[in-house]
Amino acid sequence: MQRIFVLSLQRTPLCPCRPARARWLLTQRKAAVFRRYPFTIILKQPPSGTGAAPLRVKIDPGSKTTGMAVLNDATGEVVWAAELSHRGQQVKEALDSRRATRRSRRQRHTRYRQPRFDNRTRPTGWLPPSLVSRVQNVLTWVERVQRCAPITDLSFELVRFDMQLIERPAITGIEYQQGTLAGWEAREYLLLKWGYRCAYCRKEATRWEVDHIIPRSREGSNRIKNLALSCHDCNQDKGNRTAAEYGHPDVQIEAGKPLKDAAAVNSTRWALYERLQQTGLPIETGTGGRTRWNRTQRGLPKTHWLDAACVGASTPASLDARGVIPLAIQAMGRHSRRMCRTNAFGFPDKRPKQASVVGGVRTGDIVRAVVPPPSVKAGTYVGRLAIRARGSCNIQMAAGTIQGIHYRYCPPLHRGDGYTYQNGRSA
Ligand SMILES: [Zn+2]
């Protein structure tokens, strides 16, 4: 069951409580709302219970969306979950557009500083800004969760597959029918190796089959070098022939080339792993193959947050994710830093950017606006504020955007923190 984070009077994280108890504490005025996202209450009296049960935060990093889950290992209960959407693509587009604008200004011989060319050293460990943004989003959220829950461990999906497990001689006879962990690691390897395409027709299929390049019936081995990813049609068509006999000697050669272990780790995950070590929490690393295996074994559907809950060998035998509604977190950035606002051709055509704080609120604040009846816009609106210097603002809600709400109707529920939120669907 979904739980609510609880802080003591001294702001130390306590054992998260059930929503019903949180509601009771709030109505009895024994607690107050401390933060909306993630929803956290703070007790007004010393807690009655004993020490908090240790919790584990689990992360499944992705390029667009990262899944997060907080688990109680002892009970197998998912306490909290979130799906964090990154803005890597927007960061890249913003930098591309800045580069294009500067370049076109230079080309037109507009007054501008000379291009620099001899100051292009990159420090070791440099990452592109779009990846830095992803890394920092995850770190921010691990730290935020640490501040409101008694986190003692961390699980992180670092690599796609475990090469040692695939190549261990003892498991040469592994079953590829999705049965064993080694089978899943091998599938993950093959997906990466063949780029999610059929080795023969190069089509992207939805259902994969593992094809023996030299068929089993002709003494072909179960070793990974004898396996290729194939669609159902090609696998049936090839039948009892080898890849060379089927007209694809290239597949046989390609399969022999080893896929480096490094291919399973990408630079973002590795950078994230190094930064996560600075949290001081013991980190358990997992593989993509194991995540899928864990999730399939427990009969859970594929979502980012359930994938996160299934990361690593420590995953409890039964996971209780009933009633958990993942918090949809979207990275929004903290307003624009552009001092000169241009049109699509790089010409300044708008006023310079206006004051970011108007009437004590700013863009990104989550507000609850109650507009009284005489107004045509009378009603209650909860959403993300977009501030306008003239005072009449926009509120973005799940249902759409309402314009022209004055800031005096907009007391903030949650101050802008670079993210916007929505409660997603439950499992
Ligand atoms: Zn095919």
Side-chain angles (χ1 to χ4, degrees):
M1 184 191 275
Q2 175 107 31
R3 290 189 175 246
I4 306 292
F5 294 133
V6 185
L7 297 182
S8 78
L9 208 51
Q10 288 75 31
R11 298 191 185 182
T12 43
L14 303 174
C15 209
C17 70
R18 295 192 313 277
R21 179 163 177 80
R23 225 171 290 129
W24 182 81
L25 286 168
L26 289 170
T27 51
Q28 297 292 310
R29 301 188 181 279
K30 290 176 191 291
V33 176
F34 183 73
R35 183 167 283 133
R36 294 269 157 181
Y37 304 102
F39 195 78
T40 309
I41 60 173
I42 183 163
L43 296 182
K44 293 180 177 175
Q45 305 149 344
S48 51
T50 48
L55 299 175
R56 176 187 289 274
V57 61
K58 305 182 93 173
I59 302 163
D60 172 32
S63 66
K64 286 204 180 99
T65 309
T66 290
M68 289 183 76
V70 175
L71 237 78
N72 184 336
D73 280 344
T75 61
E77 193 182 9
V78 180
V79 168
W80 181 81
E83 293 192 339
L84 173 56
S85 307
H86 300 292
R87 58 190 293 276
Q89 192 56 35
Q90 284 143 278
V91 170
K92 185 181 182 307
E93 280 165 13
L95 291 177
D96 284 348
S97 108
R98 184 181 73 182
R99 188 181 309 119
T101 304
R102 287 184 175 171
R103 181 164 297 152
S104 80
R105 283 172 68 89
R106 284 188 200 113
Q107 297 282 324
R108 293 197 309 269
H109 304 293
T110 322
R111 182 172 62 84
Y112 200 69
R113 69 163 167 76
Q114 289 297 301
R116 296 176 189 150
F117 59 91
D118 55 355
N119 62 348
R120 291 293 186 268
T121 54
R122 279 169 179 171
T124 47
W126 179 90
L127 279 179
S130 54
L131 301 194
V132 169
S133 130
R134 286 177 200 142
V135 169
Q136 289 182 339
N137 285 340
V138 176
L139 283 173
T140 300
W141 276 92
V142 169
E143 280 166 16
R144 284 187 187 178
V145 169
Q146 259 188 302
R147 260 182 265 146
C148 51
I151 304 291
T152 53
D153 294 276
L154 197 149
S155 296
F156 179 66
E157 189 188 300
L158 181 63
V159 289
R160 290 287 303 274
F161 54 82
D162 182 352
M163 200 67 221
Q164 286 179 329
L165 194 52
I166 296 171
E167 286 191 334
R168 211 164 56 199
I171 55 142
T172 46
I174 45 176
E175 294 295 321
Y176 291 99
Q177 306 312 314
Q178 312 183 357
T180 60
L181 173 59
W184 277 96
E185 299 279 8
R187 267 173 65 90
E188 203 69 23
Y189 173 94
L190 291 173
L191 285 170
L192 206 64
K193 166 112 190 173
W194 298 100
Y196 292 85
R197 282 167 189 278
C198 170
Y200 301 105
C201 66
R202 306 302 296 153
K203 263 192 236 152
E204 284 186 51
T206 45
R207 279 198 63 192
W208 295 114
E209 290 183 6
V210 174
D211 174 59
H212 288 80
I213 293 169
I214 299 170
R216 291 287 292 148
S217 57
R218 294 169 61 182
E219 315 283 292
S221 82
N222 261 327
R223 297 297 293 266
I224 199 82
K225 280 180 183 172
N226 191 38
L227 299 173
L229 201 62
S230 161
C231 65
H232 178 76
D233 291 346
C234 290
N235 201 2
Q236 290 290 309
D237 194 28
K238 179 169 168 282
N240 199 25
R241 289 178 281 179
T242 67
E245 287 167 4
Y246 184 50
H248 287 277
D250 51 306
V251 170
Q252 213 140 10
I253 297 162
E254 183 61 34
K257 292 181 194 161
L259 177 61
K260 291 232 170 63
D261 243 351
V265 187
N266 65 37
S267 51
T268 324
R269 287 184 183 199
W270 194 252
L272 194 48
Y273 176 65
E274 285 177 347
R275 298 283 300 276
L276 284 170
Q277 283 176 323
Q278 292 167 15
T279 60
L281 295 172
I283 302 180
E284 172 202 41
T285 58
T287 66
R290 179 181 285 275
T291 302
R292 283 192 192 215
W293 184 69
N294 279 345
R295 182 164 53 72
T296 321
Q297 291 270 304
R298 288 157 186 78
L300 297 167
K302 165 139 188 70
T303 60
H304 293 289
W305 66 276
L306 281 171
D307 264 347
C310 292
V311 166
S314 70
T315 308
S318 77
L319 268 185
D320 182 8
R322 285 170 301 164
V324 176
I325 301 172
L327 178 66
I329 306 169
Q330 195 178 357
M332 299 296 284
R334 293 172 190 262
H335 61 81
S336 164
R337 288 184 177 77
R338 295 175 73 176
M339 298 311 288
C340 175
R341 303 199 300 158
T342 63
N343 66 8
F345 307 102
F347 287 95
D349 70 337
K350 299 178 193 75
R351 296 163 68 186
K353 72 176 187 186
Q354 306 282 299
S356 55
V357 180
V358 179
V361 283
R362 68 193 307 166
T363 295
D365 288 351
I366 309 286
V367 297
R368 183 168 186 274
V370 182
V371 184
S375 160
V376 284
K377 291 194 174 134
T380 304
Y381 311 98
V382 179
R384 182 176 191 268
L385 191 76
I387 203 79
R388 297 289 176 267
R390 62 183 181 275
S392 158
C393 309
N394 298 351
I395 298 177
Q396 292 165 358
M397 297 168 292
T401 302
I402 178 134
Q403 297 184 316
I405 303 292
H406 198 272
Y407 66 74
R408 69 172 170 270
Y409 299 125
C410 300
L413 284 178
H414 183 85
R415 287 288 183 184
D417 58 2
Y419 297 88
T420 190
Y421 307 91
Q422 216 176 311
N423 278 321
R425 286 162 295 152
S426 79

